[in-house]
Amino acid sequence: MSSAPEPPPRPDPAPAASSRDTAGSVWRLFSPGLLPATLMLGGGVTLFAVETYVTATVAPSIVRDIGGLDLFAWLTTLYVAAAVLGAQFVALRPRTLGLRGVYTVGALVFSAGSLVCAAAPAMPVVLLGRAVQGLGAGMLSGLAYAFIRHVYPEPLWRKASTLYAAIWGVATFLGPTAGGLFAGGANWRYAFSILVPPALLMAASAGRLLPRVADERQDARPPLAQISLLLAAVLLVSAAGTDGRADLKTGMLAGSLALFAAMLGLERRAATRLLPHGATRLGQPIARLYLVMFGLIITVSSDVYIPYFLQTLHGVAPLTSGYLVALVALGWTLTAFFTGTLRGRGAVLAISAGCTLEAGATLALAPLLGDETAWGGWMAMAPAVLAILAMGGGVGLCWAHLVAGVLRWAGDAEQDKASAAIATVQSLGGALGAALSGVIANGAGLVDPGGLAGAQAAAHWLFLLMAAPGATAFFVSLVPERAVSPSTPRKAPTEREK
């Protein structure tokens, strides 16, 4: 696959860094000058990550308490679909609202959604709260990437991405612990309430602890048509997952693909774009980077059903099942730390190896989780534990290099758009992955005939089929070295690239 012409140099968008900076560790992010912003950006990611594992742990308890098993996948789908809107708001915010203001709004919206979930009398109200939560979480996640180039010198961009992975690793313990403590009966409501005080504190602190940055955007008009088509495609897939009629399910899936294709076609011709220039053309390196991200996140999002299968088929307690699914993020963190400093050819190999590891681990979960053997101890569950850990570890091998590659290839005026698109691709992949998981699980018999036989079939087919996007990402990842780590940063798209 041929690469685009080498981009011309541009001025460094971050403060100048010495060679000592390049070799610095991730702990430089906590130096006195960077500490306040690091705490705020890390706090936003922490809210997103901890809430993810709190919900994953208490979701089976919600279903047992107020029903709604057929809507199970929507708990994740609506959350991440709304996060797409939140991430885009970072790039498309009004000119009068700076990044610090977006942070405050995001934290307040997240708090409101958490309170709705805590007070919900039925599953549809929980889903409403999840959508509001997702909107706020998307803003906070998008801001984490948008602020990277304003806060840190360029040699620290990969390390900042590694820090975010480390936060997800910490969340693997905090989230399931919080969720497991409140998993009994109706106590799951308190699992949502505990996130409100820190979110309100962060909203109050944003104006003082985050730097004021200039607005470099050339165009802040919202690409409403593309966003609408994108969300409609995701929601249509989710609806297909809850409908039992095969002909209607097939029609919804076909309609979703058509909407997604229409969005890409419109994006190529539109004057106001959702994505950076070149992101819809596979001949451009930035498009391939985003596509690898997309495939990885779709596959890893099948973990939404892991706690349910662990509890239903293998007799695992809610707290333990929460910790086990959290191993996905722990694996992400560990591999990110070991490979986050690779460059050039090493970064390319890490991406390809990560795609392979994730796809293989997901495939291995099909036989490991797709039986009804009660696990009597850690030795019995060790193979599944390793597969779950490797599932996230594959993403960790890739993510920092993909993020750094996108930020290097985006033009100066499109940095906010490129940063928001990272969060959008992550949220969209999560929404589509959860929706496809619902389609596969329900289609395989999770609800009808249900019971142990239905759960077994659902687990088998879910992980067997959801390994495919990760495998596809591997083939897309076979790109020239300079596509991932160009020797000189990009200045602006050429007329040919547009």
Side-chain angles (χ1 to χ4, degrees):
M1 185 181 294
S2 62
S3 64
E6 189 72 23
R10 67 172 179 180
D12 192 344
S18 66
S19 60
R20 186 174 300 175
D21 291 331
T22 303
S25 72
V26 70
W27 298 111
R28 289 198 62 248
L29 303 174
F30 297 92
S31 61
L34 301 177
L35 179 61
T38 296
L39 291 177
M40 290 301 291
L41 299 181
V45 177
T46 300
L47 277 185
F48 197 143
V50 170
E51 189 282 332
T52 297
Y53 288 103
V54 166
T55 303
T57 304
V58 303
S61 299
I62 297 174
V63 171
R64 285 192 292 266
D65 186 35
I66 60 176
L69 179 58
D70 57 330
L71 301 174
F72 193 90
W74 286 86
L75 284 169
T76 298
T77 299
L78 284 180
Y79 178 80
V80 291
V84 172
L85 291 177
Q88 283 302 312
F89 184 77
V90 175
L92 305 172
R93 65 192 183 277
R95 291 285 185 184
T96 56
L97 185 64
L99 290 178
R100 296 188 301 182
V102 176
Y103 191 102
T104 300
V105 171
L108 291 175
V109 170
F110 182 89
S111 301
S114 298
L115 292 175
V116 171
C117 290
M123 181 63 82
V125 182
V126 176
L127 297 181
L128 173 63
R130 290 287 287 162
V132 177
Q133 269 191 323
L135 187 64
M139 295 182 197
L140 296 175
S141 177
L143 282 165
Y145 293 111
F147 264 112
I148 281 181
R149 69 192 185 93
H150 296 294
V151 175
Y152 309 116
E154 187 175 320
L156 292 180
W157 287 358
R158 281 184 173 87
K159 295 178 176 63
S161 297
T162 300
L163 173 64
Y164 301 157
I167 290 171
W168 278 90
V170 173
T172 64
F173 298 98
L174 295 181
T177 299
L181 290 175
F182 302 115
N187 291 334
W188 57 267
R189 300 179 186 279
Y190 299 112
F192 291 103
S193 302
I194 62 173
L195 300 174
V196 175
L200 294 177
L201 177 63
M202 291 158 57
S205 305
R208 297 192 302 273
L209 298 183
L210 287 174
R212 184 189 300 273
V213 298
D215 193 337
E216 301 170 339
R217 296 172 296 164
Q218 293 179 345
D219 192 350
R221 294 173 297 172
L224 294 178
Q226 294 99 301
I227 293 175
S228 299
L229 288 171
L230 203 57
L231 292 179
V234 172
L235 295 177
L236 201 57
V237 173
S238 298
T242 61
D243 196 283
R245 291 167 292 182
D247 55 343
L248 190 55
K249 187 191 300 284
T250 302
M252 288 180 178
L253 292 175
S256 177
L257 290 174
L259 288 172
F260 189 70
M263 186 281 294
L264 292 177
L266 181 61
E267 175 74 4
R268 290 183 179 182
R269 302 187 302 270
T272 303
R273 294 175 178 265
L274 177 68
L275 303 171
H277 285 286
T280 60
R281 301 182 182 278
L282 282 178
Q284 297 299 322
I286 194 170
R288 300 195 290 274
L289 294 171
Y290 278 130
L291 188 56
V292 173
M293 287 181 172
F294 192 51
L296 290 169
I297 296 300
I298 289 176
T299 291
V300 81
S301 296
S302 61
D303 70 351
V304 65
Y305 279 99
I306 289 179
Y308 183 81
F309 293 139
L310 290 174
Q311 295 177 37
T312 302
L313 294 174
H314 304 289
V316 177
L319 178 59
T320 304
S321 69
Y323 280 126
L324 289 179
V325 72
L327 290 176
V328 173
L330 181 60
W332 185 325
T333 301
L334 292 175
T335 54
F337 264 111
F338 283 115
T339 64
T341 58
L342 295 176
R343 292 179 177 273
R345 185 63 180 167
V348 174
L349 292 175
I351 292 175
S352 297
C355 295
T356 304
L357 180 62
E358 186 205 37
T362 304
L363 194 64
L365 286 175
L368 292 173
L369 295 185
D371 61 46
E372 56 176 317
T373 303
W375 291 342
W378 285 103
M379 290 302 296
M381 64 177 70
V385 168
L386 292 175
I388 294 170
L389 189 68
M391 187 182 187
V395 186
L397 283 172
C398 306
W399 200 257
H401 308 300
L402 295 170
V403 169
V406 165
L407 294 179
R408 292 272 294 178
W409 274 98
D412 287 341
E414 293 191 312
Q415 285 290 315
D416 278 352
K417 187 176 293 186
S419 300
I422 293 171
T424 296
V425 168
Q426 189 170 1
S427 296
L428 180 62
L432 186 58
L436 287 174
S437 296
V439 170
I440 296 169
N442 290 340
L446 182 66
V447 176
D448 183 18
L452 292 179
Q456 279 183 270
H460 174 80
W461 286 107
L462 173 63
F463 297 111
L464 184 66
L465 296 178
M466 290 298 288
T472 302
F474 165 76
F475 291 105
V476 177
S477 72
L478 301 177
V479 299
E481 176 179 327
R482 61 179 180 174
V484 175
S485 185
S487 58
T488 54
R490 182 179 182 80
K491 182 175 183 180
T494 65
E495 290 301 318
R496 177 184 175 186
E497 293 170 335
K498 296 181 182 180

